[in-house]
Amino acid sequence: MLIKKQFEWPELKTIGYTVSFRKEGQKETTCSYRFYISSAKLTAEEFAYAAGAHWSIEIKRHWKLDTTFNEDASRLRRQNCAENFAIVRHTAINLLKN
């Protein structure tokens, strides 16, 4: 028996996706897709700007954490260790910045 579920998002105005290509040196080009939903009614240009602005902030913030604390290499997995250390790292970055 097939059960159909209906999802309602009354404020949903925009659905979009971006395609990113990345090539490092002689390595093979990689492609990634990111999907977005929004309650704002956006044109294609506004959507592209918003998606780019979001990732610009995300990349800048993550770059600081990774270069300062080598966060990508962290293997903390037990209980709340990852979240706790993330808070400590963010606090340290904020203290250093100030």
Side-chain angles (χ1 to χ4, degrees), residues 1-41:
M1 173 174 26
L2 180 63
I3 299 173
K4 290 186 179 182
K5 290 186 178 182
Q6 184 174 354
F7 297 95
E8 292 185 26
W9 295 6
E11 301 301 316
L12 182 63
K13 303 281 190 285
T14 303
I15 299 174
Y17 73 97
T18 61
V19 181
S20 301
F21 298 94
R22 181 176 182 197
K23 183 173 185 173
E24 289 185 38
Q26 299 299 319
K27 292 182 181 179
E28 187 175 315
T29 301
T30 58
C31 177
S32 64
Y33 300 88
R34 294 184 181 100
F35 297 87
Y36 300 87
I37 59 173
S38 176
S39 60
K41 188 172 183 177

Side-chain angles (χ1 to χ4, degrees), residues 9 19 22 25 33 35 40 43 47 49 57 59 61 64 70 75 78 82 88-89 95:
W9 295 6
V19 181
R22 181 176 182 197
Y33 300 88
F35 297 87
T43 65
F47 169 75
Y49 178 80
I57 292 166
I59 288 168
R61 180 176 225 186
K64 285 180 186 174
N70 198 18
R75 296 294 172 244
R78 181 178 261 181
V88 170
R89 288 185 195 111
L95 289 171

